[in-house]
Amino acid sequence: MNDLSTKTVLITGGARGIGAEVARKAVAAGARVVVADLLEDEGKALVAELGDRARFVRLDVTDEEAWQRAADFTVAEFGRIDGLVNNAGISTGMPLETETVEHFRQVLDINLTGVFIGMRTVIPGMKENGGGSIVNISSAAGLMGLALTSSYGASKWGVRGLTKIGAVELGTARIRVNSVHPGMTYTPMTAQVGIEQGEGNYPNTPMGRVGEASEIADAVAYLLSDAASYVTGAELAVDGGWTTGPTVKYVMGQ
């Protein structure tokens, strides 16, 4: 169903974690992929793994000129941009009262302004091509109030809202804009703070475990594909049920 054989996809934060899995899924589904990241060694190694249908470009998502260079590079290599995955971001947590203004602005600049610049950069080309798909990676923290996420949570709520606005404005241009909201997911970044794979490792979710990056990537691949041709403005939670509400133990007959 998720055939991407006619698509060229630009993926930010694509060198590792969820972004790298999106790149793998997209190439496996037939897409041409440009991996954009500041992590040059990891990005180039991934592209070498993926083969002839993948390229790497260095991108600071807060830099407008760098965004234009990345878009121009993608078009020069593969002719067009059909899909954009705004995945780059930083995860951070601290109490609201100890969050500094400087840090708050930095997080919003990367996590939200970077998404805005990326969307604005690719829209003209997508319009010329007759449409496209933009997938913005938000978070479960963009669907609920989550303690210790003042800057991160605010940025992800912003991504959710920007997605809705884009969907409304760009629908008649056949540019679909959707957001994906991962829950706690095992990646190299979360592994550093003690997140583990396997059943029973995250009892706060109804499914009782953290997600895998490949599970998030499957949702992204769907939204990039023509299988989601009538899906825009959606917010797809891929979180093991975390945002559905508090987890309580249920025993039959009680």
Side-chain angles (χ1 to χ4, degrees):
M1 291 179 62
N2 299 339
D3 178 18
L4 300 176
S5 58
T6 64
K7 312 294 186 186
T8 296
V9 181
L10 174 60
I11 304 165
T12 72
R16 65 179 184 178
I18 292 172
E21 286 303 312
V22 171
R24 291 186 178 101
K25 296 281 185 181
V27 168
R32 276 80 54 200
V33 166
V34 173
V35 173
D37 210 308
L38 287 173
L39 302 174
E40 293 192 42
D41 291 343
E42 291 94 329
K44 290 177 180 178
L46 176 63
V47 165
E49 170 196 326
L50 296 177
D52 291 341
R53 283 184 285 123
R55 303 286 189 274
F56 173 80
V57 65
R58 190 179 190 278
L59 174 62
D60 174 353
V61 295
T62 68
D63 185 334
E64 291 181 69
E65 293 183 357
W67 259 111
Q68 192 59 58
R69 287 193 298 271
D72 291 345
F73 173 81
T74 304
V75 172
E77 290 293 311
F78 294 125
R80 55 192 287 146
I81 300 175
D82 301 288
L84 170 65
V85 181
N86 277 310
N87 171 71
I90 57 175
S91 179
T92 179
M94 63 182 70
L96 176 61
E97 62 182 332
T98 60
E99 179 87 64
T100 66
V101 173
E102 179 183 15
H103 184 259
F104 189 89
R105 286 176 173 156
Q106 178 191 30
V107 174
L108 262 66
D109 200 26
I110 296 169
N111 290 8
L112 179 56
T113 306
V115 171
F116 161 72
I117 299 172
M119 291 174 65
R120 194 181 66 174
T121 300
V122 304
I123 286 169
M126 286 186 174
K127 283 185 173 180
E128 289 180 10
N129 295 335
S133 174
I134 297 172
V135 182
N136 296 325
I137 306 301
S138 179
S139 169
L143 293 172
M144 62 180 178
L146 191 61
L148 307 179
T149 69
S150 54
S151 56
Y152 178 77
S155 71
K156 294 304 187 179
W157 276 83
V159 169
R160 178 187 179 191
L162 186 60
T163 298
K164 302 286 191 188
I165 293 165
V168 171
E169 292 187 1
L170 301 170
T172 55
R174 297 299 180 260
I175 299 173
R176 298 181 294 102
V177 190
N178 295 286
S179 57
V180 171
H181 298 256
M184 188 59 71
T185 305
Y186 181 81
T187 67
M189 182 171 62
T190 59
Q192 293 176 359
V193 295
I195 297 302
E196 298 178 352
Q197 293 174 292
E199 293 295 330
N201 60 18
Y202 204 64
N204 289 342
T205 66
M207 292 189 71
R209 65 171 177 86
V210 302
E212 298 290 339
S214 62
E215 293 175 306
I216 314 302
D218 282 331
V220 175
Y222 161 69
L223 292 172
L224 289 171
S225 77
D226 292 339
S229 59
Y230 201 53
V231 180
T232 194
E235 48 196 44
L236 180 54
V238 189
D239 65 354
W242 189 19
T243 55
T244 59
T247 301
V248 296
K249 292 183 178 180
Y250 175 79
V251 179
M252 186 68 72
Q254 294 186 4

